[in-house]
Short mmCIF file of all heavy atoms in Angstrom, two decimals:
data_model
loop_
_atom_site.label_atom_id
_atom_site.label_comp_id
_atom_site.label_asym_id
_atom_site.label_seq_id
_atom_site.Cartn_x
_atom_site.Cartn_y
_atom_site.Cartn_z
N GLY A 601 85.17 73.99 139.84
CA GLY A 601 84.65 74.79 140.94
C GLY A 601 83.92 76.04 140.49
O GLY A 601 83.38 76.79 141.29
N TYR A 602 83.89 76.29 139.18
CA TYR A 602 83.14 77.46 138.67
C TYR A 602 81.96 76.99 137.86
O TYR A 602 82.03 75.98 137.15
CB TYR A 602 84.04 78.35 137.82
CG TYR A 602 85.01 79.13 138.64
CD1 TYR A 602 86.24 78.58 139.02
CD2 TYR A 602 84.69 80.42 139.08
CE1 TYR A 602 87.13 79.29 139.80
CE2 TYR A 602 85.58 81.14 139.86
CZ TYR A 602 86.79 80.57 140.21
OH TYR A 602 87.67 81.29 140.98
N GLU A 603 80.88 77.73 137.96
CA GLU A 603 79.65 77.40 137.24
C GLU A 603 79.59 78.18 135.94
O GLU A 603 79.84 79.38 135.92
CB GLU A 603 78.44 77.84 138.08
CG GLU A 603 78.24 77.08 139.35
CD GLU A 603 77.31 75.89 139.13
OE1 GLU A 603 76.32 76.06 138.38
OE2 GLU A 603 77.60 74.80 139.68
N GLU A 604 79.26 77.48 134.87
CA GLU A 604 78.98 78.24 133.65
C GLU A 604 77.64 78.93 133.83
O GLU A 604 76.88 78.58 134.72
CB GLU A 604 78.94 77.31 132.45
CG GLU A 604 77.89 76.22 132.53
CD GLU A 604 78.04 75.25 131.37
OE1 GLU A 604 79.09 74.58 131.28
OE2 GLU A 604 77.11 75.23 130.56
N GLY A 605 77.37 79.92 133.01
CA GLY A 605 76.09 80.62 133.14
C GLY A 605 76.25 82.09 132.85
O GLY A 605 77.33 82.54 132.47
N ASP A 606 75.15 82.82 133.02
CA ASP A 606 75.11 84.23 132.63
C ASP A 606 76.20 85.07 133.29
O ASP A 606 76.78 85.94 132.67
CB ASP A 606 73.76 84.85 132.98
CG ASP A 606 72.65 84.24 132.13
OD1 ASP A 606 73.00 83.53 131.16
OD2 ASP A 606 71.48 84.46 132.45
N GLU A 607 76.46 84.75 134.55
CA GLU A 607 77.42 85.59 135.28
C GLU A 607 78.82 85.44 134.69
O GLU A 607 79.51 86.42 134.42
CB GLU A 607 77.39 85.19 136.77
CG GLU A 607 77.94 86.24 137.70
CD GLU A 607 79.39 85.97 138.08
OE1 GLU A 607 79.86 84.82 137.92
OE2 GLU A 607 80.04 86.91 138.53
N LEU A 608 79.21 84.20 134.45
CA LEU A 608 80.54 83.95 133.90
C LEU A 608 80.61 84.49 132.46
O LEU A 608 81.61 85.07 132.04
CB LEU A 608 80.87 82.46 133.94
CG LEU A 608 82.30 82.09 133.51
CD1 LEU A 608 83.34 82.85 134.32
CD2 LEU A 608 82.53 80.57 133.65
N GLU A 609 79.53 84.30 131.73
CA GLU A 609 79.48 84.80 130.35
C GLU A 609 79.70 86.31 130.33
O GLU A 609 80.46 86.84 129.52
CB GLU A 609 78.13 84.45 129.72
CG GLU A 609 77.98 85.05 128.34
CD GLU A 609 76.79 84.51 127.56
OE1 GLU A 609 76.24 83.47 127.95
OE2 GLU A 609 76.44 85.15 126.56
N GLU A 610 79.05 86.98 131.26
CA GLU A 610 79.20 88.43 131.34
C GLU A 610 80.64 88.82 131.61
O GLU A 610 81.17 89.77 131.03
CB GLU A 610 78.33 88.95 132.48
CG GLU A 610 77.51 90.17 132.10
CD GLU A 610 76.42 90.37 133.14
OE1 GLU A 610 76.75 90.97 134.18
OE2 GLU A 610 75.28 89.90 132.93
N ARG A 611 81.27 88.06 132.48
CA ARG A 611 82.66 88.38 132.79
C ARG A 611 83.61 88.10 131.62
O ARG A 611 84.60 88.78 131.43
CB ARG A 611 83.10 87.65 134.07
CG ARG A 611 82.51 88.35 135.32
CD ARG A 611 83.16 87.96 136.62
NE ARG A 611 82.86 86.58 136.97
CZ ARG A 611 83.77 85.61 137.02
NH1 ARG A 611 85.03 85.88 136.74
NH2 ARG A 611 83.41 84.39 137.35
N VAL A 612 83.27 87.08 130.84
CA VAL A 612 84.06 86.80 129.63
C VAL A 612 83.96 87.99 128.67
O VAL A 612 84.96 88.50 128.17
CB VAL A 612 83.57 85.49 128.95
CG1 VAL A 612 84.13 85.38 127.54
CG2 VAL A 612 83.96 84.28 129.78
N VAL A 613 82.73 88.44 128.45
CA VAL A 613 82.52 89.58 127.55
C VAL A 613 83.25 90.81 128.10
O VAL A 613 83.97 91.51 127.37
CB VAL A 613 81.00 89.88 127.38
CG1 VAL A 613 80.79 91.17 126.61
CG2 VAL A 613 80.32 88.70 126.69
N GLU A 614 83.11 91.02 129.38
CA GLU A 614 83.78 92.15 130.04
C GLU A 614 85.30 92.09 129.83
O GLU A 614 85.96 93.09 129.54
CB GLU A 614 83.43 92.10 131.54
CG GLU A 614 83.47 93.41 132.28
CD GLU A 614 82.88 94.57 131.49
OE1 GLU A 614 81.72 94.50 131.00
OE2 GLU A 614 83.63 95.56 131.34
N GLY A 615 85.84 90.89 129.97
CA GLY A 615 87.28 90.69 129.80
C GLY A 615 87.75 91.08 128.40
O GLY A 615 88.81 91.69 128.23
N VAL A 616 86.95 90.75 127.40
CA VAL A 616 87.30 91.09 126.02
C VAL A 616 87.21 92.61 125.82
O VAL A 616 88.10 93.23 125.22
CB VAL A 616 86.38 90.36 125.02
CG1 VAL A 616 86.66 90.83 123.60
CG2 VAL A 616 86.54 88.86 125.14
N LEU A 617 86.15 93.22 126.35
CA LEU A 617 85.98 94.67 126.20
C LEU A 617 87.14 95.39 126.86
O LEU A 617 87.67 96.37 126.33
CB LEU A 617 84.67 95.13 126.83
CG LEU A 617 83.39 94.57 126.22
CD1 LEU A 617 82.16 95.21 126.85
CD2 LEU A 617 83.36 94.81 124.70
N GLU A 618 87.54 94.90 128.03
CA GLU A 618 88.61 95.56 128.76
C GLU A 618 89.95 95.42 128.07
O GLU A 618 90.75 96.35 128.05
CB GLU A 618 88.72 94.97 130.16
CG GLU A 618 88.41 95.98 131.23
CD GLU A 618 88.29 95.30 132.56
OE1 GLU A 618 89.24 94.62 132.95
OE2 GLU A 618 87.20 95.45 133.18
#
Side-chain angles (χ1 to χ4, degrees):
Y602 286 86
E603 292 269 319
E604 60 187 64
D606 293 349
E607 200 262 342
L608 186 55
E609 175 169 344
E610 226 165 83
R611 284 196 291 114
V612 166
V613 172
E614 206 41 53
V616 174
L617 298 185
E618 244 170 56

